Amino acid sequence: MVFPSTIPAREVLDDSKSPQKQFNSQFKWVHPAHLGPIDEEQYLLLEGTQRNVEVRLDTTEYNGQNARIYLGLPRQIVGFSSTEHFTLRWKTNRIFFPGEVRPGNRTLIYDGSINRDLMIDLFTFTLRINANYLTGEIRYAPIFEIEPY
């Protein structure tokens, strides 16, 4: 017996045409030299920003269709031992929505007509983490998924 699927099919988009894939971020304490009362969670927050990251998504196969595009993170982040104390935020310049995501989740960044073979936008990524969960050098790669409708 076959049941029709009501869940749209997700596919990972190719972002290999993006010019830069690895970044070295300088992290700063979110609350440096804070003299007032602050809980341990806030005291250990670090933040690093990566500006003008050009993201190029190959949407050739979906040109002329309507689709939703999501930005997600893998559940396990190399160099970090928690999914709750790791947040990636971003702003964009044109095409994609701003937002935030945590490991193991995804966030909608586009909903509409795909009218080009390559969707290009500049992102400013800000990574906020709790230093207590660092286990080494952090390495991760956002995953871009598409759901045509």
PDB file of all heavy atoms in Angstrom, residues 84-113:
ATOM      1  N   GLU A  84      22.327  23.692  22.558  1.00  0.00           N
ATOM      2  CA  GLU A  84      21.536  24.791  23.114  1.00  0.00           C
ATOM      3  C   GLU A  84      22.319  26.093  23.272  1.00  0.00           C
ATOM      4  O   GLU A  84      21.731  27.161  23.345  1.00  0.00           O
ATOM      5  CB  GLU A  84      20.985  24.390  24.480  1.00  0.00           C
ATOM      6  CG  GLU A  84      19.991  23.255  24.409  1.00  0.00           C
ATOM      7  CD  GLU A  84      19.502  22.875  25.787  1.00  0.00           C
ATOM      8  OE1 GLU A  84      19.496  23.740  26.672  1.00  0.00           O
ATOM      9  OE2 GLU A  84      19.134  21.700  25.960  1.00  0.00           O
ATOM     10  N   HIS A  85      23.610  26.033  23.325  1.00  0.00           N
ATOM     11  CA  HIS A  85      24.418  27.214  23.614  1.00  0.00           C
ATOM     12  C   HIS A  85      25.210  27.684  22.400  1.00  0.00           C
ATOM     13  O   HIS A  85      26.305  28.230  22.534  1.00  0.00           O
ATOM     14  CB  HIS A  85      25.348  26.927  24.790  1.00  0.00           C
ATOM     15  CG  HIS A  85      24.601  26.478  26.009  1.00  0.00           C
ATOM     16  ND1 HIS A  85      23.908  27.356  26.797  1.00  0.00           N
ATOM     17  CD2 HIS A  85      24.407  25.250  26.537  1.00  0.00           C
ATOM     18  CE1 HIS A  85      23.327  26.689  27.780  1.00  0.00           C
ATOM     19  NE2 HIS A  85      23.617  25.411  27.640  1.00  0.00           N
ATOM     20  N   PHE A  86      24.659  27.457  21.221  1.00  0.00           N
ATOM     21  CA  PHE A  86      25.298  27.775  19.942  1.00  0.00           C
ATOM     22  C   PHE A  86      24.207  28.371  19.054  1.00  0.00           C
ATOM     23  O   PHE A  86      23.222  27.695  18.735  1.00  0.00           O
ATOM     24  CB  PHE A  86      25.818  26.470  19.327  1.00  0.00           C
ATOM     25  CG  PHE A  86      26.624  26.623  18.067  1.00  0.00           C
ATOM     26  CD1 PHE A  86      27.993  26.429  18.083  1.00  0.00           C
ATOM     27  CD2 PHE A  86      26.014  26.902  16.850  1.00  0.00           C
ATOM     28  CE1 PHE A  86      28.744  26.519  16.924  1.00  0.00           C
ATOM     29  CE2 PHE A  86      26.750  27.004  15.687  1.00  0.00           C
ATOM     30  CZ  PHE A  86      28.127  26.814  15.724  1.00  0.00           C
ATOM     31  N   THR A  87      24.346  29.637  18.699  1.00  0.00           N
ATOM     32  CA  THR A  87      23.348  30.288  17.849  1.00  0.00           C
ATOM     33  C   THR A  87      24.047  31.005  16.704  1.00  0.00           C
ATOM     34  O   THR A  87      24.960  31.798  16.930  1.00  0.00           O
ATOM     35  CB  THR A  87      22.514  31.312  18.650  1.00  0.00           C
ATOM     36  OG1 THR A  87      21.905  30.656  19.757  1.00  0.00           O
ATOM     37  CG2 THR A  87      21.429  31.929  17.782  1.00  0.00           C
ATOM     38  N   LEU A  88      23.606  30.717  15.492  1.00  0.00           N
ATOM     39  CA  LEU A  88      24.096  31.411  14.307  1.00  0.00           C
ATOM     40  C   LEU A  88      23.003  32.364  13.835  1.00  0.00           C
ATOM     41  O   LEU A  88      21.878  31.941  13.557  1.00  0.00           O
ATOM     42  CB  LEU A  88      24.443  30.414  13.194  1.00  0.00           C
ATOM     43  CG  LEU A  88      24.985  31.020  11.910  1.00  0.00           C
ATOM     44  CD1 LEU A  88      26.348  31.670  12.147  1.00  0.00           C
ATOM     45  CD2 LEU A  88      25.077  29.963  10.821  1.00  0.00           C
ATOM     46  N   ARG A  89      23.336  33.655  13.786  1.00  0.00           N
ATOM     47  CA  ARG A  89      22.407  34.676  13.283  1.00  0.00           C
ATOM     48  C   ARG A  89      22.978  35.241  11.991  1.00  0.00           C
ATOM     49  O   ARG A  89      24.181  35.225  11.783  1.00  0.00           O
ATOM     50  CB  ARG A  89      22.262  35.811  14.302  1.00  0.00           C
ATOM     51  CG  ARG A  89      21.562  35.421  15.559  1.00  0.00           C
ATOM     52  CD  ARG A  89      21.330  36.653  16.455  1.00  0.00           C
ATOM     53  NE  ARG A  89      20.599  36.263  17.617  1.00  0.00           N
ATOM     54  CZ  ARG A  89      21.147  35.979  18.797  1.00  0.00           C
ATOM     55  NH1 ARG A  89      22.449  36.070  18.953  1.00  0.00           N
ATOM     56  NH2 ARG A  89      20.397  35.625  19.809  1.00  0.00           N
ATOM     57  N   TRP A  90      22.101  35.798  11.168  1.00  0.00           N
ATOM     58  CA  TRP A  90      22.575  36.421   9.942  1.00  0.00           C
ATOM     59  C   TRP A  90      21.658  37.537   9.496  1.00  0.00           C
ATOM     60  O   TRP A  90      20.471  37.574   9.808  1.00  0.00           O
ATOM     61  CB  TRP A  90      22.724  35.389   8.815  1.00  0.00           C
ATOM     62  CG  TRP A  90      21.429  34.743   8.446  1.00  0.00           C
ATOM     63  CD1 TRP A  90      20.503  35.187   7.538  1.00  0.00           C
ATOM     64  CD2 TRP A  90      20.890  33.545   9.009  1.00  0.00           C
ATOM     65  NE1 TRP A  90      19.430  34.337   7.493  1.00  0.00           N
ATOM     66  CE2 TRP A  90      19.648  33.315   8.390  1.00  0.00           C
ATOM     67  CE3 TRP A  90      21.339  32.642   9.965  1.00  0.00           C
ATOM     68  CZ2 TRP A  90      18.846  32.223   8.711  1.00  0.00           C
ATOM     69  CZ3 TRP A  90      20.541  31.561  10.277  1.00  0.00           C
ATOM     70  CH2 TRP A  90      19.311  31.359   9.648  1.00  0.00           C
ATOM     71  N   LYS A  91      22.273  38.454   8.755  1.00  0.00           N
ATOM     72  CA  LYS A  91      21.582  39.504   8.015  1.00  0.00           C
ATOM     73  C   LYS A  91      21.979  39.299   6.568  1.00  0.00           C
ATOM     74  O   LYS A  91      23.046  38.748   6.285  1.00  0.00           O
ATOM     75  CB  LYS A  91      22.023  40.893   8.473  1.00  0.00           C
ATOM     76  CG  LYS A  91      21.674  41.204   9.908  1.00  0.00           C
ATOM     77  CD  LYS A  91      22.236  42.567  10.268  1.00  0.00           C
ATOM     78  CE  LYS A  91      22.092  42.838  11.745  1.00  0.00           C
ATOM     79  NZ  LYS A  91      22.749  44.080  12.144  1.00  0.00           N
ATOM     80  N   THR A  92      21.136  39.750   5.664  1.00  0.00           N
ATOM     81  CA  THR A  92      21.449  39.618   4.239  1.00  0.00           C
ATOM     82  C   THR A  92      21.268  40.969   3.563  1.00  0.00           C
ATOM     83  O   THR A  92      20.735  41.904   4.152  1.00  0.00           O
ATOM     84  CB  THR A  92      20.544  38.569   3.569  1.00  0.00           C
ATOM     85  OG1 THR A  92      19.187  39.005   3.664  1.00  0.00           O
ATOM     86  CG2 THR A  92      20.698  37.206   4.228  1.00  0.00           C
ATOM     87  N   ASN A  93      21.689  41.030   2.302  1.00  0.00           N
ATOM     88  CA  ASN A  93      21.597  42.294   1.574  1.00  0.00           C
ATOM     89  C   ASN A  93      20.400  42.400   0.638  1.00  0.00           C
ATOM     90  O   ASN A  93      19.914  43.488   0.407  1.00  0.00           O
ATOM     91  CB  ASN A  93      22.877  42.537   0.772  1.00  0.00           C
ATOM     92  CG  ASN A  93      23.997  43.014   1.649  1.00  0.00           C
ATOM     93  OD1 ASN A  93      23.806  43.259   2.831  1.00  0.00           O
ATOM     94  ND2 ASN A  93      25.175  43.142   1.080  1.00  0.00           N
ATOM     95  N   ARG A  94      19.946  41.280   0.062  1.00  0.00           N
ATOM     96  CA  ARG A  94      18.927  41.415  -0.972  1.00  0.00           C
ATOM     97  C   ARG A  94      17.887  40.314  -0.950  1.00  0.00           C
ATOM     98  O   ARG A  94      16.738  40.538  -0.620  1.00  0.00           O
ATOM     99  CB  ARG A  94      19.573  41.414  -2.367  1.00  0.00           C
ATOM    100  CG  ARG A  94      20.567  42.502  -2.612  1.00  0.00           C
ATOM    101  CD  ARG A  94      21.130  42.418  -4.021  1.00  0.00           C
ATOM    102  NE  ARG A  94      21.927  41.230  -4.250  1.00  0.00           N
ATOM    103  CZ  ARG A  94      23.218  41.146  -4.045  1.00  0.00           C
ATOM    104  NH1 ARG A  94      23.874  42.169  -3.583  1.00  0.00           N
ATOM    105  NH2 ARG A  94      23.868  40.041  -4.301  1.00  0.00           N
ATOM    106  N   ILE A  95      18.285  39.146  -1.351  1.00  0.00           N
ATOM    107  CA  ILE A  95      17.348  38.080  -1.711  1.00  0.00           C
ATOM    108  C   ILE A  95      16.809  37.319  -0.504  1.00  0.00           C
ATOM    109  O   ILE A  95      15.614  37.062  -0.406  1.00  0.00           O
ATOM    110  CB  ILE A  95      18.039  37.089  -2.675  1.00  0.00           C
ATOM    111  CG1 ILE A  95      18.443  37.807  -3.956  1.00  0.00           C
ATOM    112  CG2 ILE A  95      17.134  35.920  -2.991  1.00  0.00           C
ATOM    113  CD1 ILE A  95      19.311  36.977  -4.874  1.00  0.00           C
ATOM    114  N   PHE A  96      17.682  36.938   0.412  1.00  0.00           N
ATOM    115  CA  PHE A  96      17.300  36.023   1.484  1.00  0.00           C
ATOM    116  C   PHE A  96      16.862  36.760   2.743  1.00  0.00           C
ATOM    117  O   PHE A  96      17.273  37.887   2.994  1.00  0.00           O
ATOM    118  CB  PHE A  96      18.456  35.067   1.790  1.00  0.00           C
ATOM    119  CG  PHE A  96      18.831  34.214   0.611  1.00  0.00           C
ATOM    120  CD1 PHE A  96      20.089  34.310   0.045  1.00  0.00           C
ATOM    121  CD2 PHE A  96      17.926  33.322   0.053  1.00  0.00           C
ATOM    122  CE1 PHE A  96      20.436  33.529  -1.048  1.00  0.00           C
ATOM    123  CE2 PHE A  96      18.264  32.543  -1.038  1.00  0.00           C
ATOM    124  CZ  PHE A  96      19.518  32.643  -1.591  1.00  0.00           C
ATOM    125  N   PHE A  97      16.021  36.083   3.546  1.00  0.00           N
ATOM    126  CA  PHE A  97      15.528  36.636   4.807  1.00  0.00           C
ATOM    127  C   PHE A  97      16.623  36.574   5.873  1.00  0.00           C
ATOM    128  O   PHE A  97      17.386  35.606   5.904  1.00  0.00           O
ATOM    129  CB  PHE A  97      14.329  35.836   5.336  1.00  0.00           C
ATOM    130  CG  PHE A  97      13.189  35.653   4.381  1.00  0.00           C
ATOM    131  CD1 PHE A  97      12.455  34.473   4.407  1.00  0.00           C
ATOM    132  CD2 PHE A  97      12.815  36.629   3.471  1.00  0.00           C
ATOM    133  CE1 PHE A  97      11.391  34.273   3.548  1.00  0.00           C
ATOM    134  CE2 PHE A  97      11.752  36.442   2.612  1.00  0.00           C
ATOM    135  CZ  PHE A  97      11.033  35.258   2.650  1.00  0.00           C
ATOM    136  N   PRO A  98      16.658  37.545   6.793  1.00  0.00           N
ATOM    137  CA  PRO A  98      17.536  37.418   7.957  1.00  0.00           C
ATOM    138  C   PRO A  98      16.956  36.373   8.914  1.00  0.00           C
ATOM    139  O   PRO A  98      15.776  36.011   8.809  1.00  0.00           O
ATOM    140  CB  PRO A  98      17.499  38.818   8.581  1.00  0.00           C
ATOM    141  CG  PRO A  98      16.187  39.384   8.146  1.00  0.00           C
ATOM    142  CD  PRO A  98      15.887  38.782   6.802  1.00  0.00           C
ATOM    143  N   GLY A  99      17.770  35.897   9.832  1.00  0.00           N
ATOM    144  CA  GLY A  99      17.258  34.918  10.781  1.00  0.00           C
ATOM    145  C   GLY A  99      18.322  34.388  11.709  1.00  0.00           C
ATOM    146  O   GLY A  99      19.416  34.945  11.806  1.00  0.00           O
ATOM    147  N   GLU A 100      17.973  33.277  12.379  1.00  0.00           N
ATOM    148  CA  GLU A 100      18.911  32.598  13.268  1.00  0.00           C
ATOM    149  C   GLU A 100      18.555  31.122  13.309  1.00  0.00           C
ATOM    150  O   GLU A 100      17.422  30.729  13.028  1.00  0.00           O
ATOM    151  CB  GLU A 100      18.915  33.198  14.666  1.00  0.00           C
ATOM    152  CG  GLU A 100      17.703  32.920  15.495  1.00  0.00           C
ATOM    153  CD  GLU A 100      17.841  33.474  16.900  1.00  0.00           C
ATOM    154  OE1 GLU A 100      18.186  34.654  17.062  1.00  0.00           O
ATOM    155  OE2 GLU A 100      17.592  32.702  17.839  1.00  0.00           O
ATOM    156  N   VAL A 101      19.556  30.320  13.658  1.00  0.00           N
ATOM    157  CA  VAL A 101      19.362  28.868  13.720  1.00  0.00           C
ATOM    158  C   VAL A 101      20.307  28.283  14.765  1.00  0.00           C
ATOM    159  O   VAL A 101      21.360  28.851  15.050  1.00  0.00           O
ATOM    160  CB  VAL A 101      19.588  28.225  12.323  1.00  0.00           C
ATOM    161  CG1 VAL A 101      21.046  28.299  11.899  1.00  0.00           C
ATOM    162  CG2 VAL A 101      19.046  26.821  12.258  1.00  0.00           C
ATOM    163  N   ARG A 102      19.890  27.154  15.309  1.00  0.00           N
ATOM    164  CA  ARG A 102      20.720  26.389  16.249  1.00  0.00           C
ATOM    165  C   ARG A 102      21.007  25.024  15.644  1.00  0.00           C
ATOM    166  O   ARG A 102      20.299  24.584  14.744  1.00  0.00           O
ATOM    167  CB  ARG A 102      20.002  26.225  17.586  1.00  0.00           C
ATOM    168  CG  ARG A 102      19.897  27.526  18.327  1.00  0.00           C
ATOM    169  CD  ARG A 102      19.204  27.330  19.643  1.00  0.00           C
ATOM    170  NE  ARG A 102      19.067  28.628  20.273  1.00  0.00           N
ATOM    171  CZ  ARG A 102      19.422  28.885  21.501  1.00  0.00           C
ATOM    172  NH1 ARG A 102      19.909  27.947  22.261  1.00  0.00           N
ATOM    173  NH2 ARG A 102      19.278  30.095  21.989  1.00  0.00           N
ATOM    174  N   PRO A 103      22.019  24.341  16.137  1.00  0.00           N
ATOM    175  CA  PRO A 103      22.352  23.017  15.596  1.00  0.00           C
ATOM    176  C   PRO A 103      21.151  22.062  15.602  1.00  0.00           C
ATOM    177  O   PRO A 103      20.371  22.035  16.554  1.00  0.00           O
ATOM    178  CB  PRO A 103      23.452  22.520  16.545  1.00  0.00           C
ATOM    179  CG  PRO A 103      24.094  23.779  17.028  1.00  0.00           C
ATOM    180  CD  PRO A 103      22.959  24.749  17.187  1.00  0.00           C
ATOM    181  N   GLY A 104      21.016  21.331  14.499  1.00  0.00           N
ATOM    182  CA  GLY A 104      19.932  20.363  14.359  1.00  0.00           C
ATOM    183  C   GLY A 104      18.635  20.966  13.867  1.00  0.00           C
ATOM    184  O   GLY A 104      17.634  20.265  13.733  1.00  0.00           O
ATOM    185  N   ASN A 105      18.638  22.257  13.561  1.00  0.00           N
ATOM    186  CA  ASN A 105      17.426  22.935  13.102  1.00  0.00           C
ATOM    187  C   ASN A 105      17.681  23.647  11.780  1.00  0.00           C
ATOM    188  O   ASN A 105      18.810  23.723  11.313  1.00  0.00           O
ATOM    189  CB  ASN A 105      16.969  23.962  14.147  1.00  0.00           C
ATOM    190  CG  ASN A 105      16.501  23.290  15.407  1.00  0.00           C
ATOM    191  OD1 ASN A 105      15.537  22.550  15.399  1.00  0.00           O
ATOM    192  ND2 ASN A 105      17.210  23.537  16.492  1.00  0.00           N
ATOM    193  N   ARG A 106      16.603  24.192  11.227  1.00  0.00           N
ATOM    194  CA  ARG A 106      16.715  24.979  10.004  1.00  0.00           C
ATOM    195  C   ARG A 106      15.727  26.133  10.073  1.00  0.00           C
ATOM    196  O   ARG A 106      14.735  26.073  10.809  1.00  0.00           O
ATOM    197  CB  ARG A 106      16.483  24.122   8.767  1.00  0.00           C
ATOM    198  CG  ARG A 106      15.086  23.569   8.674  1.00  0.00           C
ATOM    199  CD  ARG A 106      14.953  22.590   7.529  1.00  0.00           C
ATOM    200  NE  ARG A 106      13.540  22.274   7.342  1.00  0.00           N
ATOM    201  CZ  ARG A 106      12.971  22.060   6.191  1.00  0.00           C
ATOM    202  NH1 ARG A 106      13.687  22.100   5.093  1.00  0.00           N
ATOM    203  NH2 ARG A 106      11.688  21.792   6.110  1.00  0.00           N
ATOM    204  N   THR A 107      15.997  27.187   9.299  1.00  0.00           N
ATOM    205  CA  THR A 107      15.182  28.394   9.286  1.00  0.00           C
ATOM    206  C   THR A 107      14.920  28.794   7.844  1.00  0.00           C
ATOM    207  O   THR A 107      15.820  28.748   7.003  1.00  0.00           O
ATOM    208  CB  THR A 107      15.910  29.538  10.027  1.00  0.00           C
ATOM    209  OG1 THR A 107      16.139  29.129  11.381  1.00  0.00           O
ATOM    210  CG2 THR A 107      15.106  30.816  10.022  1.00  0.00           C
ATOM    211  N   LEU A 108      13.700  29.223   7.571  1.00  0.00           N
ATOM    212  CA  LEU A 108      13.308  29.669   6.232  1.00  0.00           C
ATOM    213  C   LEU A 108      14.066  30.945   5.862  1.00  0.00           C
ATOM    214  O   LEU A 108      14.087  31.907   6.624  1.00  0.00           O
ATOM    215  CB  LEU A 108      11.801  29.939   6.205  1.00  0.00           C
ATOM    216  CG  LEU A 108      11.210  30.365   4.874  1.00  0.00           C
ATOM    217  CD1 LEU A 108      11.225  29.203   3.881  1.00  0.00           C
ATOM    218  CD2 LEU A 108       9.780  30.871   5.071  1.00  0.00           C
ATOM    219  N   ILE A 109      14.701  30.931   4.693  1.00  0.00           N
ATOM    220  CA  ILE A 109      15.399  32.138   4.218  1.00  0.00           C
ATOM    221  C   ILE A 109      14.836  32.660   2.896  1.00  0.00           C
ATOM    222  O   ILE A 109      15.183  33.766   2.475  1.00  0.00           O
ATOM    223  CB  ILE A 109      16.929  31.927   4.091  1.00  0.00           C
ATOM    224  CG1 ILE A 109      17.270  30.863   3.060  1.00  0.00           C
ATOM    225  CG2 ILE A 109      17.538  31.622   5.448  1.00  0.00           C
ATOM    226  CD1 ILE A 109      18.751  30.814   2.701  1.00  0.00           C
ATOM    227  N   TYR A 110      13.963  31.863   2.244  1.00  0.00           N
ATOM    228  CA  TYR A 110      13.386  32.308   0.976  1.00  0.00           C
ATOM    229  C   TYR A 110      12.082  31.556   0.739  1.00  0.00           C
ATOM    230  O   TYR A 110      12.005  30.352   1.019  1.00  0.00           O
ATOM    231  CB  TYR A 110      14.354  32.047  -0.189  1.00  0.00           C
ATOM    232  CG  TYR A 110      13.857  32.578  -1.508  1.00  0.00           C
ATOM    233  CD1 TYR A 110      14.024  33.911  -1.845  1.00  0.00           C
ATOM    234  CD2 TYR A 110      13.201  31.748  -2.402  1.00  0.00           C
ATOM    235  CE1 TYR A 110      13.549  34.406  -3.055  1.00  0.00           C
ATOM    236  CE2 TYR A 110      12.726  32.237  -3.613  1.00  0.00           C
ATOM    237  CZ  TYR A 110      12.906  33.569  -3.932  1.00  0.00           C
ATOM    238  OH  TYR A 110      12.436  34.056  -5.121  1.00  0.00           O
ATOM    239  N   ASP A 111      11.086  32.264   0.216  1.00  0.00           N
ATOM    240  CA  ASP A 111       9.805  31.645  -0.131  1.00  0.00           C
ATOM    241  C   ASP A 111       9.252  32.385  -1.333  1.00  0.00           C
ATOM    242  O   ASP A 111       8.856  33.541  -1.224  1.00  0.00           O
ATOM    243  CB  ASP A 111       8.835  31.739   1.056  1.00  0.00           C
ATOM    244  CG  ASP A 111       7.549  30.956   0.828  1.00  0.00           C
ATOM    245  OD1 ASP A 111       7.368  30.377  -0.266  1.00  0.00           O
ATOM    246  OD2 ASP A 111       6.723  30.916   1.759  1.00  0.00           O
ATOM    247  N   GLY A 112       9.298  31.731  -2.494  1.00  0.00           N
ATOM    248  CA  GLY A 112       8.803  32.397  -3.688  1.00  0.00           C
ATOM    249  C   GLY A 112       9.279  31.728  -4.957  1.00  0.00           C
ATOM    250  O   GLY A 112       9.706  30.579  -4.961  1.00  0.00           O
ATOM    251  N   SER A 113       9.218  32.509  -6.017  1.00  0.00           N
ATOM    252  CA  SER A 113       9.573  32.010  -7.340  1.00  0.00           C
ATOM    253  C   SER A 113      11.098  31.991  -7.515  1.00  0.00           C
ATOM    254  O   SER A 113      11.784  32.951  -7.175  1.00  0.00           O
ATOM    255  CB  SER A 113       8.951  32.920  -8.401  1.00  0.00           C
ATOM    256  OG  SER A 113       9.325  32.497  -9.679  1.00  0.00           O
TER     257      SER A 113
END
